Amino acid sequence: MATEHETVAGAAPGQPAPDGLPPGGSGGKVSRTTSAERRERAAHPGWFLAPALVVMVVFFFVPTVFNFVYAFTDWSSFKSEINPVGFDNFVELADSGTLFASLRITVVYAVLVAIFQNVFGLILAVLLERDTRLNRFARAAFFIPVLMSALAVGYIFQAFLKPEGALNALIGALVGHEVTTAWLGSTTWTIVVVALIHAWKWMGLSMLIYMAGLKTMPGDVLEAARIDGASPWKAFWAIRFPLLAPAVTFSVATALLGSMNGFDVVQATTEGGPARTTEILNIFIYRTFGQGLFAQATTMSLVLFLMVALFAFPVIKILRRREEIL
Amino acid sequence: MNRSLTSIAALASVALMATACSDPAAEAEGGGSAGGGAVEWPEPTADLDGVTLTLWAAQNSTTIPEQVTAAFEKATGAKVEIVTIPDPYEQSVQTRVATGDKPDLAFWQPTASMLTALNADTNLQPLDGAPWIEELQPELQDMTGLLDDTRYAALISSPSVEGVYYNKDVFAQHGITEPPGSFDEMVDLARKLDSAGVTPFYGMAGDRWATQWWVQVQLAGAAANGFWDDVNSGEKSFESPVVLDAITRYRDLVEEGLFNDDLATATFEEQGDALLAGEAAMALQVNSFFGQLQAKADTATLNEKIGFFPISPSGNVGTYIPDQSNALVAFRSGDEQKEAAARQLLAFWMGPGYEDFVAGQGTISLKPDVPTPDSVPQALLDAHASLGDSVGSMQALAAANPDLYLNLADMVAGEMTPKEVAAATQDQFEQLASAAGVEGF
């Protein structure tokens, strides 16, 4: 701002600079910006990055590189040597149908979780938007599962949903006779139940993200809508929901990509059962690793990494496009 | 980010890769006890002041060594730390060992396939010439613990046997005085019980692992005739008729309704309760099942209620399957003093400490000159007695240990056909055998 102002002042009419350029023109501007940059650099020296970078390199970058390297070897618990084997592991995995079955289950699971978690989160955010005392309490209550250990959540639900568990006892008391439904026993529906549990655990986070989005909405726009006679329903879908686009991008992307890497909730509730219908890729990887087939397990986790990356770019791109109307 | 920082990062990662690109578990190679040469066995009670040994145990075996290691500490001055490794035990141990984390001793399934899975040749101490071996019952001396003619595991208790535990009251109520003499007779008996309104067999396909006994006991005859050797050499496979027929027979028995209605979701725990309560007549299981019953009832009750008979197509032949709680292995740590101390602990356990161990644990003695305590229930004694003419299980004799049980559980849940079970199991067997470097795979 200061630079611009001075430039304008310097080029005051009736006082043309000798060389046709306003005094304190581009040259002065450049020197000012570089000094600003220098100041900024002094305040944020590059080596401040170092600790974070070292942690990142040691615990993320190097393991990821190894993940690529070991996928092309025959590393196992059975022998000491590690030999390169080219694409053998990939060919073997592609040949056996288990990998694709697991990939399919993983995608279905991730999509289900993303839908449930965001729908629940959005409903909660809208319901609890006003700052009443009750709402504040309810928000905290719905956020507690996010802080709980995922394994604990899984084991609690496993006990809750057992044929002789609390849910059946509750239903039994309501309908007046004994109920022994195995909620985690269906080879078709268990994946939906587990996805619901996963979504239940994380819906508090989506609620928080959506609530932040709702709270930062410009009041005048909503007021204008009200004056124009828009019903609350119409105002929500025509104005508030589109304005939530950045929150949707973040919440959907993290839910979808995060649940692709899911493990704990499924391990605690079903261990991939019944009949492997909830065996998401990470459970399969865990099982393979446990058999001592380390290279094969690494190959699978590379496949998972690639799949998440493959999903991430288009999903984020599409969601981002929705934001462009803002 | 400036250039020097980038190059430091690149250098660091290259250095890390260079150091980490070898199997960390192989580090001990060369150090400590060398393979091949004769193994020295220290006096069981020699002084070990200042030596600390680490012993890994599973959740279900962690109390077994407490008493004997305390006696060892007192006799030698050594310190033994028992570390409980969380379940699934085998997976956790294999993963730790792969990253270079090793104890001095650990409970381990003493079968060839599981010793291979630990890379015994590199990671374990050979236990050849162990002083207690000749004091064991002859049929137990070389039954298990060996890989390529080298002894790597010390058997400490009676190896598990697959066989049928039955409720004596239910048998008596239906006029059955003699246990069946063969698999077919057992099925006939089951049909008789079924028509009388009793659940003949209680299975636990919800916990999955016991589904495989149904196929394995049917393979007892084939196993005695070298079937698993043929599988190991690639001449026969899990898709051979003998296995496929056994799998199909199991499915047919399930479909006929000879099992509990909730077979697909029932658990190990429920199986124990059901047999004790007489809700079902029989359960095909291994020793750990009886261990569960012992936690639920006292010896007198068990002797009165629960009986055991081994079963196979040709007669009352058991199928042995030593498990993790039956044996210990000693690791090569690279520290000669500790390695010798680990062997000394085994020599103490199976030597001067054995009588107290057997008495304290209330378990069957493997040595003819050490008495088995009276508190051992009859069913366990029967299981032990069947070891003499028993044959090896898949775990004991196959070169690799595929997840047959998982595929069978999927079949029980209606998600796989017997053919698919056989094919998937064979695929996995080949994959494991190839990784283990078995010739021909």
Side-chain angles (χ1 to χ4, degrees), chain A residues 77 80 275-276 287 290-291 294, chain B residues 94 98 117 122 403 407 410 428:
Chain A
S77 75
S80 320
R276 275 182 261 184
R287 208 154 57 72
Q291 281 163 339
F294 303 148
Chain B
Q94 266 174 287
T122 303
D403 292 331
N407 297 321
D410 286 6
Q428 204 197 2

Side-chain angles (χ1 to χ4, degrees), chain B residues 90 93 119 129 174 178 196 230 359:
Chain B
E90 282 78 8
V93 170
N119 193 4
H174 295 84
E178 282 274 298
D230 293 344

Side-chain angles (χ1 to χ4, degrees), chain A residues 129-165:
Chain A
E129 191 188 352
R130 286 179 49 216
D131 280 326
T132 63
R133 188 171 292 178
L134 180 69
N135 280 0
R136 283 208 195 98
F137 172 77
R139 280 179 213 162
F142 282 112
F143 195 72
I144 287 174
V146 178
L147 307 176
M148 279 163 69
S149 137
L151 282 174
V153 168
Y155 287 121
I156 291 169
F157 269 97
Q158 195 230 26
F160 182 64
L161 297 174
K162 269 187 195 177
E164 68 276 19

Side-chain angles (χ1 to χ4, degrees), chain A residues 4-17:
Chain A
E4 199 181 322
H5 180 72
E6 276 170 40
T7 313
V8 171
Q15 278 184 352

Side-chain angles (χ1 to χ4, degrees), chain B residues 199-203 214 250 253-254 256-263:
Chain B
T199 303
F201 301 118
Y202 200 99
W214 282 92
Y250 176 39
L253 295 177
V254 173
E256 198 183 325
L258 297 180
F259 285 83
N260 42 317
D261 293 335
D262 60 350
L263 169 65

